Amino acid sequence: VQAGAATVMADPAMLRRALNNLLSNAIKYGHKDSVVHIELKQSGNTASFSIKNRAEPLSAEQLSRLFDRFYRTDLSRQRIEEGTGLGLAITKSILELHEATIDAKFENGWIVFTVVFKSTDFGR
């Protein structure tokens, strides 16, 4: 499910990689048959992108470490799931290069990642 529109000044390949990492994680770690919601917003000089889906609960500590290199929320997944634990760390680095922030929260059975771009050059 997609809603909204926004414009940002960014390297297309890098931004595609960051957003692909978020979407891939939503599909990979979300509940089976969970709907992935994507929302774009633009207000004044900020643009935001959020992606949310149903997922297993995450503690405050797990959420605070999601963007750490090699971090896995469940050690048992390391033997089952593919991946290196670098996707979200790479995503955060790409976004920081674009002076954007990323945040993750878990509420009422949903994990929500929100990216906020701040710029005065949108659409120019």
Side-chain angles (χ1 to χ4, degrees):
V1 178
Q2 175 188 340
T7 302
V8 298
M9 298 295 289
D11 178 285
M14 291 180 75
L15 185 57
R16 189 176 305 113
R17 171 97 185 254
L19 300 181
N20 183 53
N21 284 347
L22 290 173
L23 186 56
S24 294
N25 275 4
I27 293 167
K28 186 175 184 178
Y29 296 113
H31 286 173
K32 183 179 180 183
D33 299 324
S34 175
V35 173
V36 176
H37 296 266
I38 300 170
E39 184 176 55
L40 304 158
K41 291 181 186 176
Q42 189 155 358
S43 176
N45 67 345
T46 64
S48 65
F49 171 90
S50 66
I51 184 167
K52 74 176 188 173
N53 63 291
R54 294 261 178 214
E56 292 300 314
L58 295 175
S59 69
E61 181 184 347
Q62 288 172 314
L63 286 168
S64 72
R65 298 196 58 209
L66 280 180
F67 302 103
D68 293 352
R69 291 174 36 192
F70 306 114
Y71 179 71
R72 305 290 293 246
T73 59
D74 182 353
L75 294 177
S76 66
R77 285 184 179 169
Q78 290 183 9
R79 293 185 298 274
I80 301 168
E81 302 286 344
E82 294 179 12
T84 60
L86 288 172
L88 291 177
I90 290 169
T91 297
K92 184 174 182 179
S93 294
I94 289 170
L95 294 171
E96 287 175 345
L97 286 172
H98 290 86
E99 298 181 7
T101 60
I102 185 167
D103 179 56
K105 64 182 176 179
F106 187 86
E107 55 187 28
N108 301 321
W110 294 88
I111 185 152
V112 182
F113 288 89
T114 303
V115 176
V116 177
F117 292 87
K118 296 176 185 170
S119 177
T120 57
D121 296 327
F122 293 140
R124 291 186 193 162

